[in-house]
């Protein structure tokens, strides 16, 4: 049976303005909906993880959008992210901490540093009779979603993670990574077994396209049914290119997951990852980053709409770490200009593939996909660059007044946004391991 959850996790970043967290929280009206805030019952949790997102992403996104993000007024605090063996975490260790409340080593999923299996907050919710779901724009076997339902010592073993997901009690699985579920003879990369067939035997309805997702009633999906949606062999396309595919948006996957899971009268626990914010950060691609934050916000809006109507759901928005060391303002300018990124229609990587052999068409390609007017110096930089994609991204970021300090993760603290009953319990400065502990408390899980 599917169940209803009452917690939604939102992660983002706001700029603090001198008030203490407690005074900010106290000064704001109670927006917990029917749950009436501080003491309301929590049946459902929507744990939303914008991978790689930090306070500077939040500020630049506000400029990009031209107004506050849906999560801004629900800022509750911030938290640290180090792993057990490094000051800077990877997504596996961060996801494990956010799922289990225990630090582990980078690269490890669902195990402590000694290799002992850890129970996740999603698994604890399932033991309490609740339904569960995982949604991501990466492969669904990628580090963050895997951390809530799998236990492996190497995050790269995505075939084993796929096996564990099929064998688990997760009810809704939506994302990319179909190759990890199919045998090599059917085009898969690694899988030895046809895990899609095993999933169907276990009661999953299997879908592969956006149209199928939008019309699941045509598949006779009933209350209590399971749903497996694998919409690409590998990860889904970046948001900038999603419309060119048959792949659904993160908002569409989130809405469908909620619609299926809410049929469970005991509640549900849903994890939603905006996976590719992180990948854009690794590429220092500010337009890709902002467009995927926008896609993530669309998913948060779907979660919030449900939470406000339901009154027993909490939405937690919390990134797992910062990626790229994005800055708000750069290159000596006192202006913020991220709004120019709204005109960008392609990733830097895609634009680089459109350059001819001698890169004589740099100006035409980049201007066509960005709406920016390049100087001759900028054109020459891209023509001479060892990595044309990265140089395109640098030029675009310069126009947007966005700087980058790394192509890896950083140790920056991460903002925490929470909406719904008992959201005040999240107020304060935390470690990432505190989040599942607080969720456990508000859900009254054993």
């Amino acid at each position: 049976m599917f169940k209803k959850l009452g917690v939604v996790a939102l992660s983002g970043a706001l700029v603090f303005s001198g008030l203490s967290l407690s005074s900010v929280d106290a000064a704001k009206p109670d927006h917990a909906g029917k749950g009436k805030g501080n003491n309301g019952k929590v049946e459902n949790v929507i744990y939303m993880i914008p991978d790689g997102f930090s306070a500077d992403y939040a500020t630049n996104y506000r400029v990009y959008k031209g107004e506050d993000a849906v999560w801004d007024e629900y800022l509750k605090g911030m938290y640290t992210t180090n792993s057990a063996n490094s000051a800077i975490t990877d997504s596996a260790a961060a996801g494990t901490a956010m799922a289990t409340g225990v630090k582990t080593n980078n690269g490890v999923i669902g195990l402590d540093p000694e290799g002992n299996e850890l129970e996740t907050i999603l698994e604890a919710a399932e033991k309490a009779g609740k339904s569960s779901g995982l949604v991501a724009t990466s492969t669904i076997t990628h580090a963050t979603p895997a951390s809530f339902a799998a236990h492996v010592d190497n995050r790269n073993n995505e075939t084993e993670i796929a096996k564990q997901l099929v064998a688990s009690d997760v009810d809704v699985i939506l994302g990319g990574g179909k190759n990890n579920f199919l045998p090599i003879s059917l085009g898969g990369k690694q899988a030895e077994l046809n895990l899609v067939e095993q999933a169907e035997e276990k009661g999953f309805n299997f879908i592969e396209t956006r149209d199928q997702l939008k019309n699941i009633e045509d598949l006779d999906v009933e209350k209590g049914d399971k749903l497996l949606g694998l919409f690409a062999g590998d990860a889904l396309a970046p948001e900038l290119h999603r419309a060119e595919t048959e792949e659904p948006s993160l908002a569409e996957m989130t809405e469908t997951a909620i619609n299926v899971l809410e049929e469970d009268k005991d509640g549900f626990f849903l994890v939603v990852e905006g996976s590719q914010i992180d990948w854009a950060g690794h590429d220092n691609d500010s337009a890709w980053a902002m467009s995927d934050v926008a896609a993530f916000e669309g998913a948060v809006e779907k979660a919030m709409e449900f939470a406000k109507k339901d009154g027993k759901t909490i939405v937690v928005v919390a990134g797992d770490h910062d990626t790229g060391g994005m800055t708000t303002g750069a290159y000596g300018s006192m202006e913020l200009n991220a709004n120019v990124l709204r005109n960008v229609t392609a990733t830097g990587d895609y634009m680089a593939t459109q350059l001819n052999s001698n890169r004589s068409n740099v100006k035409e390609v980049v201007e066509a996909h960005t709406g920016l007017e390049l100087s001759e110096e900028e054109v020459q930089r891209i023509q001479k660059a060892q990595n044309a994609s990265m140089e395109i991204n640098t030029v675009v970021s310069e126009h947007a007044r966005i700087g980058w300090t790394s192509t890896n993760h950083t140790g920056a603290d991460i903002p925490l946004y929470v909406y719904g009953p008992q959201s005040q319990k999240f107020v304060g400065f935390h470690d990432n391991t505190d989040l599942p502990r607080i969720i456990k408390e508000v859900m009254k899980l054993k």
Side-chain angles (χ1 to χ4, degrees), residues 195-256:
L195 297 175
V196 170
E197 287 185 358
Q198 289 191 10
E200 289 177 322
E201 291 172 0
K202 193 177 176 182
F204 279 94
N205 292 276
F206 177 57
I207 58 176
E208 301 178 79
T209 67
R210 178 178 183 268
D211 285 345
Q212 289 178 314
L213 181 79
K214 297 290 288 183
N215 299 285
I216 60 171
E217 64 275 6
D218 296 340
L219 302 176
D220 296 323
V221 177
E222 300 176 354
K223 294 180 180 180
D225 282 357
K226 293 174 173 284
L227 183 62
L228 173 63
L230 300 173
F231 305 105
D234 199 352
L236 302 190
E239 180 63 23
L240 286 169
H241 300 286
R242 192 76 52 79
E244 304 160 20
T245 72
E246 295 184 347
E247 302 164 5
S249 69
L250 186 62
E252 289 168 338
M253 292 190 289
T254 300
E255 182 177 31
T256 297

Side-chain angles (χ1 to χ4, degrees), residues 253-266:
M253 292 190 289
T254 300
E255 182 177 31
T256 297
I258 292 171
N259 289 342
V260 174
L261 293 173
E262 72 167 316
E263 299 296 346
D264 192 324
K265 302 307 178 185
D266 295 319

Side-chain angles (χ1 to χ4, degrees), residues 17 54 87 89 125 133 149 183 196 259 277 301 315 390 408 416 438 446:
S17 60
S54 61
T89 189
V196 170
N259 289 342
I277 301 168
E301 287 172 340
V315 177
M390 185 62 75
N408 206 335
L416 171 64
I438 301 171
K446 295 181 179 180

